[in-house]
Amino acid sequence: MPNASFLSSIKSTPLLAWVLLAGALILNQPCYAQFDEYQNSKWSVRNWQLDDGLPDNRITGLAQTENGYLWIATRGGLSRFNGTEFESIPLKYELGTVFNGYTSMIADGKNASQLWLSTFRETIIKLSKTEFKVYTRSDGVPGGTLMGVASDKYNDNYFLISNHLYTLKNDHVIRLNLEKEYKDLSVNALLIDENRVSWCSIGEHVGTLIRGVFNSKFKLTDSRIVICRAKEGGFWITSGKVLFRYLNNKEPTLVSNLDTDVLPTCIMEDSLGALWMATHAQGIYRYYRGTIENVSTSQQAIKCMLEDHEGNIWVGTTSGGLNRLQIKTLEFVGRKSGMPFESAVSVCVDTHNTTWVVSGTGQIFNNADTSWKETPFIKKLGILAPSCIVSDLSGNLWIGTRGQGLKQIQLDSQTTKTWNKTNGLFGNTIRAICTASDDSIWFSTDEPAYLNHISQGKLTVYKTPPGIRNIRSIAETADHVIYFGTSEGRIFTLRNNAVEVQSSIEEVSSRSIRCLAASADGSLWIGFSEAGIAWFRNGQVKFLTTKDGLIDNSIWQLAADKKNNLWVASPHGITRLSIDEVEAVLRREASQLHPYIFGSQDGLRGFQAQYGTSPTVCVDNNGNVYFSTSTGLVVAHPDRINSNPSVPSVVIESLTLDDRLLKINSDFKINSFDNSNAGMHLLHGVQHIDVPSSYNKLFITFSALQYAAAEKIRYRYRIDGIDSDWNELGLQKSVLLPQLGPGDYVVRVSASNEIGVWNTNTASLQISVGRFFWQTLWFEAVAVLLFTGIVIGIVRFVSFRRLKKELFIAEQKSALLSERARIARDIHDDVGGSLSQIKLISEIAQQYKSGSEYTDESLKQITTTATDMLKSLDEIVWAINPKNDNLPNLISYLGQYCVEKLRNGAIRCNLNLPDHPSEIAFSSEVRHNLFLVVKEVITNILKHASATVVKVTISTQDNQLLISIEDNGKGFELISKSTAGDGISNMAQRIQVIGGQFLIESKPDKGTQVNIKVPVNL
């Protein structure tokens, strides 16, 4: 039957909740307990589910290995978590079986050096660095869930499977044969103590298990027993709903009777000494120093728990995913957490440590009775539009208003006094108030801005410099100097009852001042609208901006806590700065600030801090910092921040070499990893990989295994021998390495924690890049020899080329000399002979009288000789003119000569010439010899042939120039070359000189034919 609490919960459940629950059941979706960062709890909850990469929302086991990885077993598979990403780990059996779901996972050994997993297939899997072992039904594994494992100092291995004890003998699982009185009792707990002795609970008995024999040490009243080891030795034990402590072999000590709803199924002591108790349906509870509290999670059904190396609490739920529990540094007070106000405008804490808030709706609340409410006396006063609030050491509450002046309220006597224009003020709108160390009150009034001071009931008013509309903030430094900041960006103070402007600040910035804060070292901190933060002390001023590490240049609120930290509220969240580090940056002893940043991941969604009045932020007697925001109060607890957070260790997770993925696993021997890391090996304790010279891409992924603030970890890398300094990567967890030449390299990766401290123990990867064949020694030797041979060949070639050139020049000179000699010879033979003939004829003609017949004949001969001489001279000029060194000009000249010469001899000339002869080059020597031979042939025809027709044919064929001259004259008998005349021999010789052939055919009365063949370069 349903119990009473269940029935009462049904009656009190709103109708809408039942509608939502019915909808969830219809859709077959799990219904989770709702939780919010704004809940009234000091614990923050981060939940990971399927959408975040978790294999399954049903968690069955948690463990953290020595290197820091978090291992999560689920009903949908096994995964490894690095703080931001889940990596699925498929476990493969030798026969090819892949295990996809696990009913439990138990960590065994120091730092979880062994993991034991049970599956749905009556299988137990053992994972260690050296062994991947699978025990199946054939090995004696029964059906059921693995609930506990114990490997003791006697080398005995015990399993708790579905409330029964088993042992491992010769790789076979055997049920333990207990004594008769224990044989039928249920076993609920199995573990190892600090001396590595196995303990278990059987029924109501708790005792040791040695060599398979159970020895009862004590008996409890409830068999629902849960046990965990205590940090200081012994055990924590819950028996039903009672908590015990067992130590030093004494009887268990009663610690506490738990609430009726608390029935633990799993317990764990954390590093602070607090005991965590998980239940099947009531969530998780924390017991610490006599106080028990319920900590909300994503689901009330808890399966397992774990504390990691940093002190974070991890909770695996039955179907609500994975939860991380952390104590909140920021506490949210507003309507979402059940408070009666939506926003806070001003805040202060009185001497009784009571917090007072001016809400955005114009109400004044306090938490004097642990709950937020209005004070009836103040409510009756009907204060309109309160703007700011402070308290003094005498128990007075001072409330500034917009239009009603300043209200002084004595809470103990419930008396009030109003300060306004009627008793000395120049305005009724109060913008800023400050309680001085001497318990006097400083405040400002608006437009025009005046300074006001109340001490021992006496009001003093000070006029401000011209041009000041309002004073936004007031602060007192450690040397008891009061500073005032204005919306015009001016800072001034009072000295000798006169306003003194700090011109050194005005000269640097004219931005609007939003807030002031003073620290214990005497410094004044100034927050500007767009100029960052100014530090002012002893007349010196220096600025900090985003270039120095601030997350914003627009500052909303500033406060200095009691641990020498500066708290800054700005558009991107709340940051905590170490004042020692800030001053190191200002002195240029450090290059960058490392602020502790609280952003949206810490619950500051839609964060908007208040500014414009003062105070909007305050520090209470315990050092907690209160920020007024548009969604209520944000309370920072500096004592909850680990002042010495661990520096994250870095692990290199995988490499991608071109298209090949190499995974790195240093936890356990896993088949799926072993098959993907071929090529990786340890060299002197460092991961090493050999890379071929022809690789194109080398991509490395890594992670810093820190879970408290994984999203705030920054990375950098360096390649020894290449990089002189670190390469900053920011939040990026991977890097594409530059192309590396042949050789050995060491890649180092470092990470910093949330406050910017970098680890010195870097992760290293040694890379050996191979050489191309042309970079080997043998190739270099061959290349040297080949180069030497090439050099010798080039020198030889150049020498021969130079010699050939010199020979060519010599030949050119010889040809030139020959040509000059030929021209001289031709001129001497033709022109000289003609001139001699003219001279002889002229001398003979002079012996006769003028007009005589012989004289006239002589003159005709002179004329004819001179004409022939001119033609000869023209022939000489044609032969030596380089413009005629081509086939078309040669053919044209020869044809023209034949026609003219034969016409003068009354012989018809039939020419057969090519239409478009090729532009083939001919030297002047070739042209001259051809012309002389043709000329000689034509002359012989005219003198001896008695021909009437001459046929001249010029053509090119087979790279040869063919000239054929045929007449129809009387011919002659050509017996042999030896009988030929000198003329024929001379012609043949000329053609042979230019590499041609000269052929002559003739028969009496049948004419003569001369054929000339000269090679040409077509």
Side-chain angles (χ1 to χ4, degrees), residues 872-902:
S872 297
L873 187 60
D874 180 65
E875 292 168 4
I876 294 170
V877 172
W878 175 82
I880 65 175
N881 189 351
K883 293 182 178 180
N884 299 319
D885 289 347
N886 56 71
L887 181 60
N889 285 334
L890 173 63
I891 294 173
S892 176
Y893 192 81
L894 292 178
Q896 183 180 1
Y897 175 81
C898 292
V899 170
E900 291 179 356
K901 197 71 173 177
L902 292 171

PDB file of all heavy atoms in Angstrom, residues 872-902:
ATOM      1  N   SER A 872      79.991  44.001-115.832  1.00  0.00           N
ATOM      2  CA  SER A 872      80.850  43.184-114.961  1.00  0.00           C
ATOM      3  C   SER A 872      80.900  43.758-113.545  1.00  0.00           C
ATOM      4  O   SER A 872      80.862  43.029-112.528  1.00  0.00           O
ATOM      5  CB  SER A 872      82.260  43.102-115.529  1.00  0.00           C
ATOM      6  OG  SER A 872      82.232  42.447-116.775  1.00  0.00           O
ATOM      7  N   LEU A 873      81.013  45.078-113.502  1.00  0.00           N
ATOM      8  CA  LEU A 873      81.031  45.731-112.180  1.00  0.00           C
ATOM      9  C   LEU A 873      79.719  45.497-111.444  1.00  0.00           C
ATOM     10  O   LEU A 873      79.685  45.242-110.233  1.00  0.00           O
ATOM     11  CB  LEU A 873      81.309  47.226-112.362  1.00  0.00           C
ATOM     12  CG  LEU A 873      81.535  48.013-111.058  1.00  0.00           C
ATOM     13  CD1 LEU A 873      82.739  47.453-110.313  1.00  0.00           C
ATOM     14  CD2 LEU A 873      81.743  49.492-111.372  1.00  0.00           C
ATOM     15  N   ASP A 874      78.560  45.524-112.169  1.00  0.00           N
ATOM     16  CA  ASP A 874      77.258  45.275-111.567  1.00  0.00           C
ATOM     17  C   ASP A 874      77.192  43.844-111.034  1.00  0.00           C
ATOM     18  O   ASP A 874      76.632  43.593-109.956  1.00  0.00           O
ATOM     19  CB  ASP A 874      76.166  45.517-112.599  1.00  0.00           C
ATOM     20  CG  ASP A 874      74.782  45.271-112.036  1.00  0.00           C
ATOM     21  OD1 ASP A 874      74.352  46.019-111.124  1.00  0.00           O
ATOM     22  OD2 ASP A 874      74.136  44.290-112.471  1.00  0.00           O
ATOM     23  N   GLU A 875      77.773  42.924-111.817  1.00  0.00           N
ATOM     24  CA  GLU A 875      77.777  41.542-111.365  1.00  0.00           C
ATOM     25  C   GLU A 875      78.590  41.386-110.077  1.00  0.00           C
ATOM     26  O   GLU A 875      78.204  40.636-109.157  1.00  0.00           O
ATOM     27  CB  GLU A 875      78.358  40.659-112.464  1.00  0.00           C
ATOM     28  CG  GLU A 875      77.461  40.576-113.702  1.00  0.00           C
ATOM     29  CD  GLU A 875      78.184  39.935-114.886  1.00  0.00           C
ATOM     30  OE1 GLU A 875      79.335  39.509-114.667  1.00  0.00           O
ATOM     31  OE2 GLU A 875      77.597  39.831-115.964  1.00  0.00           O
ATOM     32  N   ILE A 876      79.719  42.073-110.025  1.00  0.00           N
ATOM     33  CA  ILE A 876      80.554  41.996-108.810  1.00  0.00           C
ATOM     34  C   ILE A 876      79.799  42.550-107.594  1.00  0.00           C
ATOM     35  O   ILE A 876      79.774  41.969-106.500  1.00  0.00           O
ATOM     36  CB  ILE A 876      81.879  42.740-109.018  1.00  0.00           C
ATOM     37  CG1 ILE A 876      82.700  42.010-110.091  1.00  0.00           C
ATOM     38  CG2 ILE A 876      82.661  42.837-107.711  1.00  0.00           C
ATOM     39  CD1 ILE A 876      83.926  42.800-110.542  1.00  0.00           C
ATOM     40  N   VAL A 877      79.125  43.712-107.807  1.00  0.00           N
ATOM     41  CA  VAL A 877      78.372  44.334-106.701  1.00  0.00           C
ATOM     42  C   VAL A 877      77.230  43.429-106.258  1.00  0.00           C
ATOM     43  O   VAL A 877      76.966  43.238-105.069  1.00  0.00           O
ATOM     44  CB  VAL A 877      77.864  45.724-107.134  1.00  0.00           C
ATOM     45  CG1 VAL A 877      76.908  46.295-106.074  1.00  0.00           C
ATOM     46  CG2 VAL A 877      79.011  46.670-107.367  1.00  0.00           C
ATOM     47  N   TRP A 878      76.568  42.814-107.260  1.00  0.00           N
ATOM     48  CA  TRP A 878      75.445  41.912-106.908  1.00  0.00           C
ATOM     49  C   TRP A 878      75.941  40.716-106.092  1.00  0.00           C
ATOM     50  O   TRP A 878      75.313  40.276-105.151  1.00  0.00           O
ATOM     51  CB  TRP A 878      74.772  41.426-108.205  1.00  0.00           C
ATOM     52  CG  TRP A 878      73.704  40.405-107.928  1.00  0.00           C
ATOM     53  CD1 TRP A 878      72.435  40.621-107.549  1.00  0.00           C
ATOM     54  CD2 TRP A 878      73.882  38.984-108.003  1.00  0.00           C
ATOM     55  NE1 TRP A 878      71.774  39.460-107.373  1.00  0.00           N
ATOM     56  CE2 TRP A 878      72.651  38.406-107.647  1.00  0.00           C
ATOM     57  CE3 TRP A 878      74.961  38.147-108.347  1.00  0.00           C
ATOM     58  CZ2 TRP A 878      72.457  37.031-107.631  1.00  0.00           C
ATOM     59  CZ3 TRP A 878      74.748  36.788-108.326  1.00  0.00           C
ATOM     60  CH2 TRP A 878      73.517  36.238-107.967  1.00  0.00           C
ATOM     61  N   ALA A 879      77.092  40.233-106.481  1.00  0.00           N
ATOM     62  CA  ALA A 879      77.613  39.051-105.801  1.00  0.00           C
ATOM     63  C   ALA A 879      77.990  39.321-104.358  1.00  0.00           C
ATOM     64  O   ALA A 879      77.878  38.447-103.499  1.00  0.00           O
ATOM     65  CB  ALA A 879      78.813  38.512-106.581  1.00  0.00           C
ATOM     66  N   ILE A 880      78.438  40.522-104.054  1.00  0.00           N
ATOM     67  CA  ILE A 880      78.893  40.795-102.676  1.00  0.00           C
ATOM     68  C   ILE A 880      77.833  41.469-101.805  1.00  0.00           C
ATOM     69  O   ILE A 880      78.026  41.649-100.610  1.00  0.00           O
ATOM     70  CB  ILE A 880      80.176  41.655-102.693  1.00  0.00           C
ATOM     71  CG1 ILE A 880      79.872  43.061-103.284  1.00  0.00           C
ATOM     72  CG2 ILE A 880      81.288  40.956-103.422  1.00  0.00           C
ATOM     73  CD1 ILE A 880      81.058  43.993-103.225  1.00  0.00           C
ATOM     74  N   ASN A 881      76.672  41.837-102.370  1.00  0.00           N
ATOM     75  CA  ASN A 881      75.621  42.518-101.600  1.00  0.00           C
ATOM     76  C   ASN A 881      74.888  41.490-100.742  1.00  0.00           C
ATOM     77  O   ASN A 881      74.284  40.547-101.266  1.00  0.00           O
ATOM     78  CB  ASN A 881      74.652  43.202-102.555  1.00  0.00           C
ATOM     79  CG  ASN A 881      73.662  44.108-101.798  1.00  0.00           C
ATOM     80  OD1 ASN A 881      73.594  44.091-100.577  1.00  0.00           O
ATOM     81  ND2 ASN A 881      72.913  44.900-102.549  1.00  0.00           N
ATOM     82  N   PRO A 882      74.923  41.593 -99.377  1.00  0.00           N
ATOM     83  CA  PRO A 882      74.278  40.589 -98.503  1.00  0.00           C
ATOM     84  C   PRO A 882      72.769  40.529 -98.662  1.00  0.00           C
ATOM     85  O   PRO A 882      72.128  39.557 -98.273  1.00  0.00           O
ATOM     86  CB  PRO A 882      74.680  41.029 -97.094  1.00  0.00           C
ATOM     87  CG  PRO A 882      75.026  42.465 -97.217  1.00  0.00           C
ATOM     88  CD  PRO A 882      75.590  42.660 -98.610  1.00  0.00           C
ATOM     89  N   LYS A 883      72.142  41.578 -99.199  1.00  0.00           N
ATOM     90  CA  LYS A 883      70.703  41.569 -99.408  1.00  0.00           C
ATOM     91  C   LYS A 883      70.290  40.501-100.414  1.00  0.00           C
ATOM     92  O   LYS A 883      69.130  40.088-100.447  1.00  0.00           O
ATOM     93  CB  LYS A 883      70.210  42.933 -99.877  1.00  0.00           C
ATOM     94  CG  LYS A 883      70.331  44.028 -98.829  1.00  0.00           C
ATOM     95  CD  LYS A 883      69.763  45.332 -99.359  1.00  0.00           C
ATOM     96  CE  LYS A 883      69.839  46.448 -98.303  1.00  0.00           C
ATOM     97  NZ  LYS A 883      69.287  47.720 -98.803  1.00  0.00           N
ATOM     98  N   ASN A 884      71.223  40.087-101.264  1.00  0.00           N
ATOM     99  CA  ASN A 884      70.905  39.104-102.305  1.00  0.00           C
ATOM    100  C   ASN A 884      71.214  37.679-101.870  1.00  0.00           C
ATOM    101  O   ASN A 884      71.177  36.757-102.700  1.00  0.00           O
ATOM    102  CB  ASN A 884      71.687  39.426-103.578  1.00  0.00           C
ATOM    103  CG  ASN A 884      71.328  40.805-104.123  1.00  0.00           C
ATOM    104  OD1 ASN A 884      70.162  41.184-104.123  1.00  0.00           O
ATOM    105  ND2 ASN A 884      72.332  41.556-104.577  1.00  0.00           N
ATOM    106  N   ASP A 885      71.535  37.485-100.578  1.00  0.00           N
ATOM    107  CA  ASP A 885      71.909  36.150-100.100  1.00  0.00           C
ATOM    108  C   ASP A 885      70.690  35.285 -99.844  1.00  0.00           C
ATOM    109  O   ASP A 885      70.464  34.769 -98.750  1.00  0.00           O
ATOM    110  CB  ASP A 885      72.752  36.266 -98.821  1.00  0.00           C
ATOM    111  CG  ASP A 885      74.142  36.810 -99.093  1.00  0.00           C
ATOM    112  OD1 ASP A 885      74.529  36.853-100.269  1.00  0.00           O
ATOM    113  OD2 ASP A 885      74.823  37.185 -98.106  1.00  0.00           O
ATOM    114  N   ASN A 886      69.797  35.113-100.818  1.00  0.00           N
ATOM    115  CA  ASN A 886      68.630  34.244-100.680  1.00  0.00           C
ATOM    116  C   ASN A 886      68.245  33.720-102.048  1.00  0.00           C
ATOM    117  O   ASN A 886      68.645  34.249-103.103  1.00  0.00           O
ATOM    118  CB  ASN A 886      67.467  34.975-100.012  1.00  0.00           C
ATOM    119  CG  ASN A 886      67.078  36.252-100.727  1.00  0.00           C
ATOM    120  OD1 ASN A 886      66.519  36.206-101.828  1.00  0.00           O
ATOM    121  ND2 ASN A 886      67.403  37.407-100.110  1.00  0.00           N
ATOM    122  N   LEU A 887      67.466  32.662-102.060  1.00  0.00           N
ATOM    123  CA  LEU A 887      67.096  31.954-103.287  1.00  0.00           C
ATOM    124  C   LEU A 887      66.268  32.802-104.245  1.00  0.00           C
ATOM    125  O   LEU A 887      66.549  32.806-105.461  1.00  0.00           O
ATOM    126  CB  LEU A 887      66.367  30.660-102.926  1.00  0.00           C
ATOM    127  CG  LEU A 887      65.918  29.780-104.092  1.00  0.00           C
ATOM    128  CD1 LEU A 887      67.142  29.371-104.911  1.00  0.00           C
ATOM    129  CD2 LEU A 887      65.163  28.552-103.590  1.00  0.00           C
ATOM    130  N   PRO A 888      65.236  33.544-103.754  1.00  0.00           N
ATOM    131  CA  PRO A 888      64.445  34.332-104.720  1.00  0.00           C
ATOM    132  C   PRO A 888      65.300  35.320-105.509  1.00  0.00           C
ATOM    133  O   PRO A 888      65.129  35.467-106.723  1.00  0.00           O
ATOM    134  CB  PRO A 888      63.416  35.024-103.821  1.00  0.00           C
ATOM    135  CG  PRO A 888      63.265  34.136-102.646  1.00  0.00           C
ATOM    136  CD  PRO A 888      64.635  33.581-102.412  1.00  0.00           C
ATOM    137  N   ASN A 889      66.208  36.030-104.848  1.00  0.00           N
ATOM    138  CA  ASN A 889      67.053  37.005-105.560  1.00  0.00           C
ATOM    139  C   ASN A 889      68.018  36.310-106.529  1.00  0.00           C
ATOM    140  O   ASN A 889      68.317  36.826-107.621  1.00  0.00           O
ATOM    141  CB  ASN A 889      67.836  37.844-104.549  1.00  0.00           C
ATOM    142  CG  ASN A 889      66.964  38.886-103.864  1.00  0.00           C
ATOM    143  OD1 ASN A 889      65.961  39.312-104.434  1.00  0.00           O
ATOM    144  ND2 ASN A 889      67.316  39.264-102.643  1.00  0.00           N
ATOM    145  N   LEU A 890      68.507  35.154-106.143  1.00  0.00           N
ATOM    146  CA  LEU A 890      69.411  34.405-107.018  1.00  0.00           C
ATOM    147  C   LEU A 890      68.701  33.981-108.297  1.00  0.00           C
ATOM    148  O   LEU A 890      69.215  34.183-109.422  1.00  0.00           O
ATOM    149  CB  LEU A 890      69.953  33.191-106.268  1.00  0.00           C
ATOM    150  CG  LEU A 890      70.790  32.213-107.095  1.00  0.00           C
ATOM    151  CD1 LEU A 890      72.052  32.915-107.605  1.00  0.00           C
ATOM    152  CD2 LEU A 890      71.160  30.983-106.269  1.00  0.00           C
ATOM    153  N   ILE A 891      67.492  33.392-108.114  1.00  0.00           N
ATOM    154  CA  ILE A 891      66.728  32.937-109.285  1.00  0.00           C
ATOM    155  C   ILE A 891      66.381  34.106-110.193  1.00  0.00           C
ATOM    156  O   ILE A 891      66.500  34.042-111.426  1.00  0.00           O
ATOM    157  CB  ILE A 891      65.480  32.172-108.827  1.00  0.00           C
ATOM    158  CG1 ILE A 891      65.870  30.865-108.130  1.00  0.00           C
ATOM    159  CG2 ILE A 891      64.542  31.891-109.997  1.00  0.00           C
ATOM    160  CD1 ILE A 891      64.712  30.120-107.501  1.00  0.00           C
ATOM    161  N   SER A 892      65.943  35.205-109.542  1.00  0.00           N
ATOM    162  CA  SER A 892      65.546  36.377-110.331  1.00  0.00           C
ATOM    163  C   SER A 892      66.721  36.925-111.140  1.00  0.00           C
ATOM    164  O   SER A 892      66.588  37.245-112.345  1.00  0.00           O
ATOM    165  CB  SER A 892      64.995  37.451-109.385  1.00  0.00           C
ATOM    166  OG  SER A 892      64.693  38.630-110.114  1.00  0.00           O
ATOM    167  N   TYR A 893      67.887  37.026-110.525  1.00  0.00           N
ATOM    168  CA  TYR A 893      69.053  37.602-111.202  1.00  0.00           C
ATOM    169  C   TYR A 893      69.542  36.703-112.353  1.00  0.00           C
ATOM    170  O   TYR A 893      69.861  37.174-113.459  1.00  0.00           O
ATOM    171  CB  TYR A 893      70.164  37.834-110.197  1.00  0.00           C
ATOM    172  CG  TYR A 893      71.293  38.689-110.742  1.00  0.00           C
ATOM    173  CD1 TYR A 893      71.184  40.072-110.778  1.00  0.00           C
ATOM    174  CD2 TYR A 893      72.451  38.092-111.239  1.00  0.00           C
ATOM    175  CE1 TYR A 893      72.208  40.847-111.291  1.00  0.00           C
ATOM    176  CE2 TYR A 893      73.479  38.855-111.762  1.00  0.00           C
ATOM    177  CZ  TYR A 893      73.362  40.244-111.770  1.00  0.00           C
ATOM    178  OH  TYR A 893      74.380  41.006-112.294  1.00  0.00           O
ATOM    179  N   LEU A 894      69.583  35.376-112.062  1.00  0.00           N
ATOM    180  CA  LEU A 894      70.030  34.449-113.100  1.00  0.00           C
ATOM    181  C   LEU A 894      69.091  34.458-114.293  1.00  0.00           C
ATOM    182  O   LEU A 894      69.522  34.461-115.475  1.00  0.00           O
ATOM    183  CB  LEU A 894      70.147  33.035-112.526  1.00  0.00           C
ATOM    184  CG  LEU A 894      71.246  32.803-111.490  1.00  0.00           C
ATOM    185  CD1 LEU A 894      71.198  31.371-110.977  1.00  0.00           C
ATOM    186  CD2 LEU A 894      72.618  33.108-112.092  1.00  0.00           C
ATOM    187  N   GLY A 895      67.749  34.456-113.998  1.00  0.00           N
ATOM    188  CA  GLY A 895      66.781  34.471-115.103  1.00  0.00           C
ATOM    189  C   GLY A 895      66.889  35.732-115.930  1.00  0.00           C
ATOM    190  O   GLY A 895      66.855  35.701-117.170  1.00  0.00           O
ATOM    191  N   GLN A 896      67.018  36.881-115.233  1.00  0.00           N
ATOM    192  CA  GLN A 896      67.125  38.161-115.936  1.00  0.00           C
ATOM    193  C   GLN A 896      68.398  38.207-116.794  1.00  0.00           C
ATOM    194  O   GLN A 896      68.391  38.665-117.940  1.00  0.00           O
ATOM    195  CB  GLN A 896      67.113  39.297-114.909  1.00  0.00           C
ATOM    196  CG  GLN A 896      67.149  40.678-115.561  1.00  0.00           C
ATOM    197  CD  GLN A 896      67.137  41.785-114.506  1.00  0.00           C
ATOM    198  OE1 GLN A 896      67.114  41.479-113.322  1.00  0.00           O
ATOM    199  NE2 GLN A 896      67.170  43.018-114.948  1.00  0.00           N
ATOM    200  N   TYR A 897      69.488  37.679-116.267  1.00  0.00           N
ATOM    201  CA  TYR A 897      70.759  37.696-117.007  1.00  0.00           C
ATOM    202  C   TYR A 897      70.662  36.854-118.284  1.00  0.00           C
ATOM    203  O   TYR A 897      71.095  37.268-119.376  1.00  0.00           O
ATOM    204  CB  TYR A 897      71.890  37.157-116.123  1.00  0.00           C
ATOM    205  CG  TYR A 897      73.204  37.027-116.847  1.00  0.00           C
ATOM    206  CD1 TYR A 897      74.027  38.139-117.029  1.00  0.00           C
ATOM    207  CD2 TYR A 897      73.602  35.797-117.379  1.00  0.00           C
ATOM    208  CE1 TYR A 897      75.221  38.009-117.720  1.00  0.00           C
ATOM    209  CE2 TYR A 897      74.787  35.669-118.067  1.00  0.00           C
ATOM    210  CZ  TYR A 897      75.607  36.790-118.232  1.00  0.00           C
ATOM    211  OH  TYR A 897      76.800  36.662-118.943  1.00  0.00           O
ATOM    212  N   CYS A 898      70.057  35.658-118.129  1.00  0.00           N
ATOM    213  CA  CYS A 898      69.953  34.774-119.292  1.00  0.00           C
ATOM    214  C   CYS A 898      69.099  35.406-120.402  1.00  0.00           C
ATOM    215  O   CYS A 898      69.446  35.353-121.588  1.00  0.00           O
ATOM    216  CB  CYS A 898      69.353  33.430-118.877  1.00  0.00           C
ATOM    217  SG  CYS A 898      70.430  32.450-117.802  1.00  0.00           S
ATOM    218  N   VAL A 899      67.982  35.973-119.994  1.00  0.00           N
ATOM    219  CA  VAL A 899      67.084  36.575-120.993  1.00  0.00           C
ATOM    220  C   VAL A 899      67.778  37.716-121.731  1.00  0.00           C
ATOM    221  O   VAL A 899      67.773  37.805-122.977  1.00  0.00           O
ATOM    222  CB  VAL A 899      65.783  37.051-120.322  1.00  0.00           C
ATOM    223  CG1 VAL A 899      64.945  37.893-121.280  1.00  0.00           C
ATOM    224  CG2 VAL A 899      64.969  35.864-119.822  1.00  0.00           C
ATOM    225  N   GLU A 900      68.410  38.639-120.989  1.00  0.00           N
ATOM    226  CA  GLU A 900      69.052  39.790-121.612  1.00  0.00           C
ATOM    227  C   GLU A 900      70.228  39.369-122.496  1.00  0.00           C
ATOM    228  O   GLU A 900      70.413  39.884-123.607  1.00  0.00           O
ATOM    229  CB  GLU A 900      69.521  40.775-120.540  1.00  0.00           C
ATOM    230  CG  GLU A 900      68.369  41.465-119.831  1.00  0.00           C
ATOM    231  CD  GLU A 900      68.874  42.419-118.769  1.00  0.00           C
ATOM    232  OE1 GLU A 900      70.098  42.486-118.542  1.00  0.00           O
ATOM    233  OE2 GLU A 900      68.033  43.097-118.124  1.00  0.00           O
ATOM    234  N   LYS A 901      71.027  38.451-121.994  1.00  0.00           N
ATOM    235  CA  LYS A 901      72.232  38.057-122.745  1.00  0.00           C
ATOM    236  C   LYS A 901      71.853  37.352-124.034  1.00  0.00           C
ATOM    237  O   LYS A 901      72.427  37.618-125.110  1.00  0.00           O
ATOM    238  CB  LYS A 901      73.071  37.124-121.858  1.00  0.00           C
ATOM    239  CG  LYS A 901      74.518  36.991-122.341  1.00  0.00           C
ATOM    240  CD  LYS A 901      75.258  38.268-122.094  1.00  0.00           C
ATOM    241  CE  LYS A 901      76.754  38.112-122.419  1.00  0.00           C
ATOM    242  NZ  LYS A 901      77.481  39.382-122.257  1.00  0.00           N
ATOM    243  N   LEU A 902      70.850  36.457-123.947  1.00  0.00           N
ATOM    244  CA  LEU A 902      70.448  35.712-125.134  1.00  0.00           C
ATOM    245  C   LEU A 902      69.686  36.597-126.110  1.00  0.00           C
ATOM    246  O   LEU A 902      69.775  36.419-127.337  1.00  0.00           O
ATOM    247  CB  LEU A 902      69.587  34.504-124.742  1.00  0.00           C
ATOM    248  CG  LEU A 902      70.328  33.393-123.968  1.00  0.00           C
ATOM    249  CD1 LEU A 902      69.357  32.367-123.447  1.00  0.00           C
ATOM    250  CD2 LEU A 902      71.383  32.740-124.852  1.00  0.00           C
TER     251      LEU A 902
END
